[in-house]
Structures are given as structure tokens and as C-alpha cells.
């Protein structure tokens, strides 16, 4: 048996960062930037108003109060998108809208609420009463205060979240270079499997693994390619594997345990270098890994929960590494256990649990029966409670580590 860490290390040592592609920025969400992004402009490009109000010279309104307002001559109006023509001279002001450029001569903006604007329904020119003084620069956004021309805005290696997509857009850039997403071929193996969308033949089960695994691939940024079901026959498996050779990663499910019809093993052994591992974990201990004609292959166990959990532990980090990501692990928290877990055979247990927050601590409640065929308990769970190999039991109330799958706290 090998440890989870040893298995992961071997998987990761066989996958490398993929090549780059240039795409419209919105399509790059979740991908890793593969260029340094510099700005050729100031953002914002000009000094502009942070408020609806009056652009003034701060020195003109010193000492203004509601009981002794300073009256300024309003010489015009400027809206966002306009270029102000007028210059603000002594004791004058320009009515200004949020985002509009600050006119020449003005250095501050008095917001509407600090004027007697509400009493006036006139068009310029008219007089406005200023009720509060402002400091120089008040309510003015400076040119380049967000991003200065020439600045390195985003570094190669940044993960593009909505905020980064917005930052790139604010530079006027339509496309960017990112590490491309891996294409992940998915093959389900087993004579017992039936395709979805048709009545279930006697003795068969629906092929759910291809879909749970493809959804995991999608969720973590890969492009799933479902290649369907390979029967437990050497030729069938070989043919399907041929179809997968243009992918960046091949995931199979089933056929890697000790059963008589577990042919994936034999086919793999013949086609490439492959290791069969018994990983010291539960669920999901049989796992195959190797290279088939240059394509890394991970043979996930057939049981629906085992295939999902081994995906989380081994396939997800491989996909993230291919995408150029550096943080390959999911968040781990500490929680108080509700219920108890026995560990009878010295493996690391990943128990499906429902994690909720209670005050300033987390509670982890076991999500029902833990058989590796009980997929609905995976659906109920949002985390996996980890019981280390050398711990024989954890009891109610003990603090446990939980690998979080989702952060929903309902
Ligand atoms: P195996 O590892 O091939 O022995 O498969 C173990 C068990 O997992 C099988 O008996 C099936 O019940 C289940 N199984 C295998 N492949 C799938 C699949 N694609 N979808 C759902 N269940 C599966
Ligand atoms: Mg099978």
C-alpha cells in the first residue's frame, strides 16, 4: 500500500503545465494568465468627480456653513462623458455629475446635499448656496489613482477571477493569453453499465460515473470528453483508449480492482507503463496510474463514491497543475464531530459529512451511510472528515480535520 501523498506525488510528477492560448477575456474565467499585463493608459484617464454636486475652488468656500452660505455663480453643467468647456474662476462653480471630468480651475466638488440646490429649479447661470466648506481635492478621483499608465497591472500566473477580468477590461483589452484548459477523456468500463435515456435492462445499472466525473472536470476548469462505455473485453477497451489519445488526460472508471473481469489493468499493462496502487485510503483504494502513448491515465475505482473522491484527491490536482495553477489543495478546516467514526484497517478515512457553522465553530455531521456505492450521501455532504491512518476511532465532540468540497453552509 502507498500513502495518499505518495500517490499524489507520482501523479503530479507525470503531468506538466499545458501550452498557452489567446482568447476573449470572458472565456478566460478561472484560467491562469500567461502574460504580464501592463496598462497603456491611466485609469481613470482624467481627474473626475466622485459625487453629483458642484465643482468649486476650495479657497472660495472656506467658512461656508448652513447659517452663512457662500454663494457661487453657476456657469454651466458637465455630465459624465462630457468635456467641460468652461473654466471655473473666482466665486464660480460648475454643476457636475459623478464621473464627469473636473473642469479647469476647480479643485474640489461639493456634493448636492451640502448646497441649497434643493431650493433651486433654475438652469445655469444661477447662484448656488454652498453650506459646507470642502478641503482641496475633496470628492475628486485622481487620474491614474486606480491604475497608472505603464504600470504592471496583473502578473503572469494570476488566476483570472471576475475582478481580474474587470481589471483587464478597464484597460480596453479584448483578449488575453492564458494557459489552456486540459481536455479530459472519460471512459466508463463494465458489462453491467447501461447508457442513460433508455429503459434499464435486467441486471444492469446506469453509467453515473461518466457524468459525476465529467461534472468534476468541468467544475475545476477542464474540458470533459465523455467517450461512453467500454465493455469488459480487451478489444473494446483498446478501441476506446485509442479515441482518448488526443486528450491531455484520460480518466477511466472501474476495472482496476481484483475481480475476474477487471481488464483495464491487463490492457494498460500491455499498452504503456502503468502502476497499480493500493492507496491507504477509504473509500477508493484501488487506483491505476500510467502513461499511454504520452497521455497520463488515471484509472479510478468503479464505485461511484470512490471514483468521485479519488478524483478530488488525484485528478483535480493534476488538472489544476496542467492549467498552471499553484494552489492545488482544497481548503481544510477544523470542526467538531457529531457522531463517531471507526477506523478498523489502518487506512485514511474520508467520511462524507455535512459541515455547518454554529457560532464561531464548525460542526461536522456524518452524512448517512458511508458505503462506497451510496452516491446520495456524497450529494448530501459538503466536506470529507479525515481520520488519519493511525487513529482507530474518533468520538462525538472531538475536533477533526475536514476537507471542504463546497462552502455552502445550509
Ligand atoms: P469495478 O471497479 O469495475 O469492479 O466496479 C465496482 C462497482 O462500481 C461495480 O460493481 C458497479 O456497481 C460500480 N460501477 C462501476 N462503474 C460504474 C459506473 N460507470 N457508473 C456507476 N457505477 C459503476
Ligand atoms: Mg467493472
Amino acid at each position: 500500500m502507498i500513502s495518499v501523498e505518495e500517490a499524489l506525488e507520482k501523479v503530479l510528477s507525470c503531468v506538466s503545465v499545458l501550452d498557452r492560448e489567446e482568447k476573449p477575456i470572458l472565456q478566460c474565467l478561472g484560467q491562469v494568465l500567461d502574460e504580464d499585463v501592463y496598462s497603456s493608459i491611466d485609469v481613470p484617464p482624467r481627474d473626475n468627480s466622485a459625487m453629483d454636486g458642484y465643482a468649486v475652488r476650495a479657497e472660495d468656500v472656506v467658512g461656508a456653513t448652513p447659517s452663512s452660505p457662500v454663494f457661487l455663480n453657476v456657469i454651466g453643467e458637465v455630465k459624465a462623458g462630457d468635456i467641460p468647456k468652461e473654466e471655473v474662476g473666482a466665486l464660480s462653480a460648475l454643476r457636475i455629475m459623478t464621473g464627469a471630468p473636473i473642469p479647469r480651475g476647480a479643485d474640489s466638488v461639493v456634493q448636492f446635499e451640502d448646497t441649497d440646490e434643493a431650493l433651486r429649479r433654475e438652469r445655469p447661470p444661477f447662484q448656488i448656496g454652498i453650506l459646507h466648506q470642502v478641503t482641496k481635492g475633496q470628492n475628486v478621483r485622481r487620474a491614474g489613482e486606480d491604475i497608472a499608465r505603464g504600470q504592471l497591472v496583473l502578473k503572469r500566473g494570476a488566476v483570472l477571477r471576475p475582478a481580474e477580468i474587470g481589471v483587464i477590461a478597464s484597460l480596453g483589452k479584448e483578449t488575453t493569453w492564458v494557459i489552456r484548459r486540459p481536455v479530459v477523456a472519460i471512459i466508463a468500463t463494465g458489462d453491467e453499465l447501461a447508457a442513460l435515456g433508455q429503459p434499464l435492462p435486467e441486471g444492469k445499472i446506469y453509467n453515473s460515473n461518466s457524468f459525476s466525473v465529467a461534472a468534476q472536470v468541468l467544475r475545476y476548469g477542464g474540458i470533459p470528453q465523455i467517450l461512453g462505455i467500454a465493455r469488459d473485453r480487451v478489444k473494446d477497451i483498446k478501441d476506446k483508449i485509442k479515441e482518448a489519445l488526443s486528450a491531455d488526460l484520460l480518466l477511466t472508471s472501474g476495472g482496476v480492482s481484483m475481480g475476474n473481469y477487471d481488464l483495464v489493468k491487463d490492457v494498460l499493462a500491455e499498452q504503456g507503463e502503468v502502476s497499480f496502487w493500493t492507496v491507504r485510503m477509504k473509500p477508493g483504494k484501488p487506483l491505476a496510474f500510467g502513461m499511454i502513448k504520452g497521455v497520463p491515465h488515471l484509472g479510478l475505482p468503479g464505485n461511484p463514491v470512490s471514483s468521485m473522491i479519488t478524483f478530488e484527491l488525484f485528478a483535480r490536482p493534476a488538472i489544476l497543475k496542467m492549467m498552471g495553477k499553484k494552489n492545488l489543495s482544497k481548503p481544510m478546516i477544523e470542526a467538531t464531530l457529531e457522531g463517531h467514526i471507526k477506523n478498523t484497517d489502518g487506512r485514511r478515512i474520508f467520511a462524507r459529512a455535512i459541515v455547518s457553522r454554529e457560532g464561531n465553530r464548525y460542526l461536522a455531521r456524518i452524512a448517512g451511510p458511508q458505503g462506497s456505492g451510496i452516491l446520495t450521501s456524497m450529494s448530501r455532504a459538503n466536506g470529507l472528515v479525515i481520520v488519519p491512518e493511525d487513529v482507530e476511532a474518533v468520538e462525538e465532540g472531538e475536533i477533526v480535520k475536514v476537507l471542504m468540497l463546497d462552502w455552502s453552509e445550509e
Side-chain angles (χ1 to χ4, degrees):
M1 283 211 230
I2 63 172
S3 71
V4 171
E5 285 74 20
E6 284 170 285
L8 178 59
E9 199 177 301
K10 287 187 185 173
V11 170
L12 290 178
S13 72
C14 292
V15 300
S16 29
V17 179
L18 299 177
D19 43 336
R20 66 205 297 251
E21 59 182 351
E22 189 182 24
K23 291 194 303 190
I25 56 173
L26 189 54
Q27 291 173 25
C28 299
L29 183 64
Q31 285 177 265
V32 170
L33 190 63
D34 197 42
E35 62 174 331
D36 287 334
V37 174
Y38 288 88
S39 179
S40 59
I41 55 168
D42 279 332
V43 181
R46 298 184 57 144
D47 290 356
N48 68 90
S49 179
M51 291 284 179
D52 293 334
Y54 289 86
V56 302
R57 299 161 11 129
E59 64 195 85
D60 286 350
V61 299
V62 172
T65 64
S67 55
S68 64
V70 171
F71 289 94
L72 302 177
N73 295 314
V74 180
I75 55 174
E77 189 173 68
V78 55
K79 299 193 296 292
D82 287 350
I83 300 293
K85 294 178 290 292
E86 298 86 352
E87 181 168 350
V88 174
L91 292 176
S92 64
L94 213 67
R95 196 166 186 270
I96 192 166
M97 300 300 144
T98 304
I102 301 294
R104 271 176 301 125
D107 56 29
S108 336
V109 173
V110 180
Q111 63 188 52
F112 284 161
E113 294 83 342
D114 292 340
T115 70
D116 63 359
E117 151 111 6
L119 308 175
R120 299 172 188 275
R121 289 284 176 270
E122 299 152 80
R123 303 191 61 78
F126 62 90
Q127 287 225 312
I128 185 78
I130 304 294
L131 309 181
H132 292 281
Q133 62 178 23
V134 282
T135 55
K136 203 168 170 175
Q138 195 167 329
N139 298 327
V140 174
R141 303 169 178 154
R142 291 278 163 220
E145 75 173 17
D146 187 2
I147 299 166
R149 181 197 307 254
Q151 186 184 325
L152 174 59
V153 185
L154 291 170
K155 277 200 199 139
R156 167 178 275 114
V159 177
L160 301 180
R161 303 168 306 160
E164 284 74 26
I165 302 286
V167 166
I168 298 173
S170 72
L171 307 177
K173 204 169 140 60
E174 272 188 293
T175 63
T176 195
W177 285 94
V178 287
I179 306 291
R180 71 176 174 84
R181 304 176 184 282
V183 173
V184 182
I186 297 165
I187 300 172
T189 73
D191 281 341
E192 75 277 33
L193 301 178
L196 317 190
Q198 40 186 280
L200 189 62
E202 194 67 39
K204 309 280 180 185
I205 58 170
Y206 286 121
N207 165 24
S208 63
N209 287 354
S210 289
F211 295 87
S212 51
V213 166
Q216 288 177 304
V217 168
L218 262 183
R219 177 179 201 180
Y220 297 125
I223 302 169
Q225 200 179 31
I226 294 181
L227 296 180
I229 300 164
R231 298 296 162 203
D232 289 322
R233 273 182 292 281
V234 171
K235 183 174 181 318
D236 230 44
I237 297 171
K238 277 187 176 170
D239 287 350
K240 282 281 182 227
I241 286 178
K242 252 186 229 149
E243 287 179 50
L245 293 179
S246 59
D248 300 301
L249 174 67
L250 166 61
L251 300 178
T252 55
S253 74
V256 290
S257 54
M258 293 301 191
N260 284 341
Y261 293 95
D262 289 336
L263 292 170
V264 173
K265 273 182 159 182
D266 302 343
V267 175
L268 289 176
E270 190 192 304
Q271 296 225 334
E273 310 146 44
V274 62
S275 323
F276 300 99
W277 299 334
T278 307
V279 183
R280 204 174 293 123
M281 63 180 279
K282 188 180 182 174
K285 78 181 164 169
L287 194 68
F289 182 75
M291 302 293 284
I292 307 175
K293 300 196 165 74
V295 181
H297 165 244
L298 194 51
L300 306 175
N303 281 307
V305 173
S306 309
S307 72
M308 287 194 76
I309 292 182
T310 48
F311 180 103
E312 287 286 346
L313 295 179
F314 306 110
R316 175 180 179 276
I319 289 171
L320 297 188
K321 180 176 177 186
M322 287 181 178
M323 293 180 71
K325 298 205 175 172
K326 294 287 188 294
N327 178 11
L328 306 183
S329 44
K330 288 209 105 159
M332 188 91 84
I333 61 162
E334 289 194 334
T336 306
L337 186 67
E338 269 184 43
H340 66 276
I341 307 170
K342 275 216 170 71
N343 189 2
T344 48
D345 52 3
R347 294 194 264 154
R348 190 177 306 173
I349 293 183
F350 294 88
R352 283 144 269 166
I354 301 161
V355 177
S356 59
R357 206 182 167 105
E358 192 196 69
N360 53 8
R361 62 177 191 163
Y362 288 106
L363 292 183
R365 187 158 39 96
I366 298 306
Q370 297 285 315
S372 55
I374 311 288
L375 193 53
T376 50
S377 68
M378 193 69 185
S379 160
R380 277 191 294 276
N382 58 351
L384 300 172
V385 168
I386 298 174
V387 181
E389 294 83 331
D390 56 357
V391 171
E392 283 172 16
V394 278
E395 304 298 337
E396 174 97 25
E398 281 189 46
I399 302 291
V400 288
K401 289 219 157 73
V402 189
L403 184 73
M404 291 306 290
L405 299 172
D406 296 285
W407 274 108
S408 56
E409 291 181 356
E410 294 84 49

